[in-house]
Amino acid sequence: MLAAIAKEFRLLSRDLHGIAVLFIMPMLFMFIMSVALSQRDDFNQNTKIALVGESSNLLNSQLIVILGNQENMNVDFFDIADKDNAKAKLIEGNYDFLLINSNQNTENLSNESPLALITLAGIDQLRLMNLQTIIQKSYLQLRLKDIFSTPNNDSSIMDEDAIEIKRQQQLDDYLSGKIITEEFINVEGTKVVKPSSVQQSVPAWLIFGMFFIMIPLSNVMTCEKQTNTIIRLRLAKSSAFSLLIAKLLPYFLINQLQFIGMILLGIYILPLINITGFVLEGAYWNYALLSIAISLSALGYALLVSVLAKSAEHAVVLGGGGNIIMAALGGIMVPSYMMPETMQIICLISPMSWALKGFHNLLLDQYDFVQILPQWLSLIGFALIFLLLAGIIYYRQLNNKHL
């Protein structure tokens, strides 16, 4: 028994890299997620609102004060005549929301119009719901204060109980209606349909899945080393470049099938189980170009891990753990806006973050390809660097006589 235990410890001692990864990866993941979720209750980090209404309206002034007192919420006022300018600034990204109030503080509740909350279609739905709750609470606080402090014109002919009943009826009728209406626009300023949760979640998990192309690729690469296939390739004087192209092409096609399969599943299968179907907005070729960039990035990372790993187990632990870390940093698991500011900056190093932003911009905000070019070029740059490093290492391995 003791000998068997000692044998296991000796075997473990020969795989110190694997043991280190098993400890370091979970610790790193725990640290990232803990920091990312440290402000999960604060959905309004750096929320910028443009309030549009009449400058002489006392209700707008009060609303600016009460919303401005919310933590991490900034409110600027625009006169109703400047509405188009405020909308343009929303599209440019200077504001997250446009709030339009056409009501006066002396307005009867029965005559009020709902507040209009306008935002880009790519906004996170949880963030939107939380802001609606805050605005509704703040607005009701002001309106009820006005209503119940205003003398009733019928007080001379009605007793206090009757007045209270009338006010309560008005309040019930008011609360049964819509206090806030939401409107979604694209970057052209055109009104679009409210995006579903499926529209926001499918791209995230599609990108996450494409990066796991690392598993089959690393299995093949490590198998070559263990079966001495790489030695036979060296003796055959095969070109490292041609070998890598031959390896990557099938996996690139698999990535594209993943992309198409996930899209088709969202479009045709989800509605069969009573879930809102996925809708691919915009030109298909934009998504094709983005899919190519994501796949090349995933293959670059997968190939580098594969040539560095000494065994399939190393590759799975290192590559799989790396994918999870990139997903945690890239807004796949936790929306980036929920993270502290420092974490939001760190998130920019993750290729999954670039891919997700580009996908959401195409799908939700209906950008064209030129507008997602920064994310696309970042993915291509990442792919070229990692493929180049992997190619150099593979070339040396292929020409290493002592391998």
Side-chain angles (χ1 to χ4, degrees):
M1 182 70 174
L2 291 175
I5 294 174
K7 176 182 73 70
E8 294 301 325
F9 275 111
R10 281 197 300 273
L11 291 174
L12 285 172
S13 68
R14 297 172 189 169
D15 190 19
L16 293 178
H17 291 93
I19 297 298
V21 168
L22 287 174
F23 280 94
I24 293 172
M25 283 297 180
M27 288 182 189
L28 189 58
F29 181 66
M30 180 190 71
F31 174 76
I32 291 172
M33 293 302 289
S34 298
V35 175
L37 292 170
S38 62
Q39 298 186 26
R40 67 186 184 278
D41 296 326
D42 184 8
F43 288 90
N44 297 309
Q45 290 186 61
N46 304 315
T47 295
K48 298 175 183 177
I49 301 173
L51 175 62
V52 177
E54 295 180 5
S55 55
S56 59
N57 188 349
L58 179 61
L59 186 56
N60 288 328
S61 304
Q62 294 171 328
L63 199 53
I64 289 175
V65 172
I66 197 169
L67 289 177
N69 287 334
Q70 298 287 332
E71 189 175 359
N72 296 322
M73 190 179 290
N74 301 306
V75 185
D76 292 330
F77 182 76
F78 288 81
D79 191 83
I80 193 68
D82 215 14
K83 176 183 172 181
D84 290 340
N85 181 36
K87 190 174 182 179
K89 289 184 177 295
L90 170 70
I91 293 171
E92 291 169 4
N94 295 321
Y95 294 99
D96 302 304
F97 299 93
L98 187 66
L99 180 63
I100 302 175
N101 172 41
S102 58
N103 302 311
Q104 299 285 340
N105 64 315
T106 55
E107 192 97 43
N108 191 292
L109 285 179
S110 59
N111 298 328
E112 275 211 351
S113 301
L115 300 177
L117 187 62
I118 303 173
T119 187
L120 292 174
I123 199 72
D124 186 270
Q125 294 300 307
L126 287 176
R127 187 183 187 188
L128 175 63
M129 289 170 59
N130 186 71
L131 182 67
Q132 283 180 316
T133 302
I134 291 174
I135 293 175
Q136 183 167 305
K137 179 182 176 182
S138 302
Y139 185 73
L140 281 175
Q141 180 181 334
L142 293 174
R143 293 301 287 124
L144 295 182
K145 181 181 177 183
D146 289 334
I147 294 300
F148 285 100
S149 63
T150 303
N152 194 292
N153 295 330
D154 300 325
S155 58
S156 59
I157 58 175
M158 297 175 64
D159 59 33
E160 291 185 6
D161 290 340
I163 293 172
E164 185 62 31
I165 292 173
K166 182 179 178 181
R167 280 178 169 168
Q168 187 62 49
Q169 183 61 50
Q170 283 183 332
L171 182 59
D172 291 342
D173 293 341
Y174 178 66
L175 294 177
S176 65
K178 274 220 168 207
I179 298 174
I180 300 176
T181 60
E182 55 191 33
E183 181 180 321
F184 299 91
I185 59 173
N186 58 22
V187 290
E188 303 299 328
T190 306
K191 186 176 179 180
V192 295
V193 178
K194 177 181 178 179
S196 67
S197 59
V198 171
Q199 298 289 93
Q200 295 186 323
S201 62
V202 166
W205 299 116
L206 185 151
I207 292 164
F208 188 55
M210 289 179 72
F211 269 80
F212 270 91
I213 196 70
M214 171 275 310
I215 292 178
L217 179 58
S218 62
N219 284 338
V220 170
M221 296 287 285
T222 52
C223 184
E224 280 186 359
K225 297 175 186 176
Q226 293 170 352
T227 59
N228 294 324
T229 301
I230 195 169
I231 295 177
R232 292 195 291 272
L233 291 171
R234 183 176 69 237
L235 294 174
K237 300 186 182 302
S238 301
S239 163
F241 177 77
S242 61
L243 287 173
L244 286 179
I245 294 297
K247 285 182 189 301
L248 293 179
L249 186 58
Y251 295 101
F252 174 80
L253 294 176
I254 290 172
N255 260 166
Q256 301 314 305
L257 289 175
Q258 273 185 291
F259 189 94
I260 295 170
M262 286 284 284
I263 297 295
L264 292 177
L265 184 144
I267 294 173
Y268 296 108
I269 304 300
L270 292 183
L272 297 179
I273 54 177
N274 295 322
I275 296 176
T276 304
F278 184 76
V279 180
L280 203 60
E281 301 282 358
Y284 291 171
W285 70 270
N286 289 336
Y287 295 99
L289 290 174
L290 181 60
S291 176
I292 290 170
I294 297 171
S295 180
L296 291 175
S297 296
L299 289 171
Y301 174 72
L303 188 62
L304 185 60
V305 168
S306 300
V307 297
L308 289 174
K310 296 182 178 179
S311 67
E313 292 77 14
H314 280 169
V316 170
V317 173
L318 184 62
N323 277 345
I324 293 172
I325 297 301
M326 286 193 291
L329 285 175
I332 302 293
M333 298 181 177
V334 180
S336 58
Y337 76 86
M338 291 178 62
M339 302 177 184
E341 284 187 39
T342 305
M343 278 292 294
Q344 292 182 29
I345 296 173
I346 296 174
C347 281
L348 298 178
I349 68 172
S350 171
M352 290 192 192
S353 173
W354 314 329
L356 185 61
K357 184 173 178 58
F359 208 133
H360 277 170
N361 284 344
L362 283 178
L363 183 68
L364 303 177
D365 295 326
Q366 298 179 15
Y367 280 30
D368 57 30
F369 181 72
V370 173
Q371 291 172 301
I372 67 157
L373 204 53
Q375 290 79 36
W376 191 85
L377 290 175
S378 297
L379 289 167
I380 293 296
F382 177 90
L384 291 176
I385 292 170
F386 274 61
L387 287 171
L388 179 62
L389 290 174
I392 292 171
I393 296 171
Y394 186 69
Y395 174 81
R396 290 179 176 177
Q397 289 176 347
L398 200 62
N399 292 277
N400 185 1
K401 295 181 180 181
H402 302 288
L403 189 67

